Amino acid sequence: MTAAGPRTRTLRRAACALPAVLLLCGCGASAAREDGATDAGRRFAAAVSAGDYRTGCELLAPETREQIEEDAQGPCGPGLREAGLPPAGAPRGVDVYGREALLRMTADTLFLSQFDDGWLVTAAGCEEGSGDEPYRCSVQGG
């Protein structure tokens, strides 16, 4: 993860909403939904690791892509490269509730949302905060 700065923002919505949903719902998602979120996160991580930032940008949610372009004051691809995301590694587990997912990978945590076209990454380069603090993500929507 890059040093704290203008690219590092707090993912309050997902970090606050997901635990509440997990506690209230108590029910899991179908295997197909979990597989869909995991596959999208895996494809995003593979693209970024391979330096294929164009494909990585295509796998971002629209708001996240717009935020990267705004921060970079230019196209998404160079902005995503500048974000310096760590190689994510292999998926370790996924929690899917409603249209939101949290995908834990060996060296990264991704947040995803389900759109009409499928699952897209809403935040990446996320580290869990200490105690009650939310995740801090180097890439996320505004």
Side-chain angles (χ1 to χ4, degrees), residues 3-47:
R7 291 191 190 281
T8 304
R9 292 178 174 75
T10 305
L11 188 59
R12 295 183 193 284
R13 178 179 57 90
C16 294
L18 190 60
V21 170
L22 295 175
L23 289 173
L24 294 175
C25 183
C27 54
S30 71
R33 291 172 49 77
E34 290 174 351
D35 291 346
T38 300
D39 182 57
R42 184 181 300 145
R43 286 184 293 127
F44 173 79

Side-chain angles (χ1 to χ4, degrees), residues 51-97:
D52 184 358
Y53 299 105
R54 183 177 57 91
T55 298
C57 287
E58 291 171 0
L59 295 167
L60 290 172
E63 194 173 287
T64 305
R65 184 179 180 142
E66 290 169 11
Q67 187 64 54
I68 288 174
E69 291 171 346
E70 182 180 313
D71 290 347
Q73 298 179 348
C76 178
L80 187 56
R81 182 184 63 239
E82 290 173 14
L85 294 173
R92 293 185 306 135
V94 63
D95 295 316
V96 177
Y97 293 91

Side-chain angles (χ1 to χ4, degrees), residues 48-139:
V48 170
S49 291
D52 184 358
Y53 299 105
R54 183 177 57 91
T55 298
C57 287
E58 291 171 0
L59 295 167
L60 290 172
E63 194 173 287
T64 305
R65 184 179 180 142
E66 290 169 11
Q67 187 64 54
I68 288 174
E69 291 171 346
E70 182 180 313
D71 290 347
Q73 298 179 348
C76 178
L80 187 56
R81 182 184 63 239
E82 290 173 14
L85 294 173
R92 293 185 306 135
V94 63
D95 295 316
V96 177
Y97 293 91
R99 298 178 68 88
E100 306 293 323
L102 171 72
L103 176 61
R104 289 176 197 84
M105 302 187 80
T106 306
D108 196 2
T109 298
L110 306 176
F111 287 87
L112 300 97
S113 288
Q114 188 177 30
F115 291 81
D116 292 340
D117 311 16
W119 290 94
L120 296 173
V121 175
T122 58
C126 301
E127 292 183 357
E128 192 169 2
S130 60
D132 291 338
E133 295 197 20
Y135 280 84
R136 293 179 316 276
C137 301
S138 58
V139 169

